[in-house]
Amino acid sequence: MSANWIRARLTRRYKRFLADVVLESGEEVTVHCPNTGAMTGCIEEGARVWLSLSDNPKRKYPMTWELIERGSGERICVHSARANAVVEAAIEDGTLAELQGYSHVQREVKVAEGTRADFVLTGPGRCVVEVKSVTLGLGQGYGAFPDAVSDRASRHLEELISLVEQGDRGVLVLLAMHTGIDKVGPADGIDPRYGETLRRAMQQGVEVLAYGCDVSAEGVKATRLLPFLPQLPSTVINQM
């Protein structure tokens, strides 16, 4: 995935879907914030941000907040919906080695009543893949998901468990679109139910893959397999 994005400085994020920024020209504009989570650690007043520009004339806010560079130098992709495109590219170019060997890759596939999987890989067999964007950095390289209580994320794990019981391969990909993260685990200190469900899913055959990314103004690219820790150290959990 590549990009040609606009640089600005962040003023504030509010109403979940909006952020105010100052462009390099000095113009102050309101942009769309494409992240419904708490964005803990992703908001830093005055930090450099990058924006994409839509050519859709019907959009009230044509610019979308894509990246932020914190004062520490860490870059984070805050556009969580980008994760699926990054994973798809990593499957296609072979970076995501664990999901190679299938003849067909489909996105947004209905796998049960009221349930769509991010990806379904087939031939031979069937592999159902759920993707989650990890942007919560906890220091010392630790990253965690989710950054807020998420019943939806727990429900997705339950659905993967059910599909594995029916004979499918079920895979959860935790994509760390944060250059300061080099190991990933569940955020038990924020959503203990999710952590418990994730560990139970692993016991029942759901595979968990954590991948790190290069994040820059040129785009976001999955580059490396990261260690996944089923439970983070208590000292880290207590910081949440």
Side-chain angles (χ1 to χ4, degrees), residues 34-35 37-42 66-68 70 74-84 86-87 118 130-139 141-148 153 172-188 190 194 198 208-215 220-222 224 226-229 232 236 240:
N35 190 316
M39 294 181 67
T40 304
C42 298
E66 298 283 349
L67 311 180
I68 186 168
R70 290 168 48 84
E74 298 170 345
R75 287 185 176 179
I76 308 164
C77 177
V78 301
H79 193 160
S80 54
R82 294 277 184 198
N84 281 14
V86 173
V87 167
D118 289 326
E130 181 68 27
V131 178
K132 298 299 181 187
S133 169
V134 182
T135 59
L136 177 58
L138 300 169
Y142 288 102
F145 179 88
D147 68 353
L172 171 67
V173 177
L174 296 170
L175 187 72
M177 299 196 295
H178 184 311
T179 60
I181 292 176
D182 56 30
K183 43 190 173 289
V184 177
D188 287 276
I190 294 173
Y194 183 81
L198 179 53
V208 181
L209 303 173
Y211 264 79
C213 294
D214 286 346
V215 180
V220 182
K221 178 179 173 59
R224 60 203 180 278
L226 301 180
F228 172 74
L229 309 176
L232 294 176
V236 175
M240 297 180 194

Side-chain angles (χ1 to χ4, degrees), residues 66-220:
E66 298 283 349
L67 311 180
I68 186 168
E69 182 178 82
R70 290 168 48 84
S72 58
E74 298 170 345
R75 287 185 176 179
I76 308 164
C77 177
V78 301
H79 193 160
S80 54
R82 294 277 184 198
N84 281 14
V86 173
V87 167
E88 183 173 34
I91 294 172
E92 291 177 350
D93 68 16
T95 299
L96 219 164
E98 296 81 1
L99 296 181
Q100 301 303 300
Y102 294 94
S103 57
H104 295 91
V105 178
Q106 295 175 282
R107 286 180 62 169
E108 295 295 327
V109 179
K110 183 177 180 180
V111 292
E113 189 61 37
T115 301
R116 286 186 176 274
D118 289 326
F119 294 95
V120 171
L121 286 57
T122 54
R126 189 170 86 150
C127 176
V128 180
V129 181
E130 181 68 27
V131 178
K132 298 299 181 187
S133 169
V134 182
T135 59
L136 177 58
L138 300 169
Q140 303 178 65
Y142 288 102
F145 179 88
D147 68 353
V149 174
S150 178
D151 292 339
R152 183 171 180 266
S154 292
R155 186 173 67 251
H156 288 163
L157 286 174
E158 297 286 4
E159 291 163 352
L160 281 178
I161 291 171
S162 178
L163 290 166
V164 168
E165 288 174 346
Q166 295 171 37
D168 290 330
R169 181 186 178 194
V171 179
L172 171 67
V173 177
L174 296 170
L175 187 72
M177 299 196 295
H178 184 311
T179 60
I181 292 176
D182 56 30
K183 43 190 173 289
V184 177
D188 287 276
I190 294 173
D191 189 348
R193 177 192 170 200
Y194 183 81
E196 292 166 2
T197 306
L198 179 53
R199 289 183 285 275
R200 177 163 52 85
M202 295 176 68
Q203 291 173 355
Q204 297 189 34
V206 174
E207 301 168 46
V208 181
L209 303 173
Y211 264 79
C213 294
D214 286 346
V215 180
S216 73
E218 284 69 51
V220 182

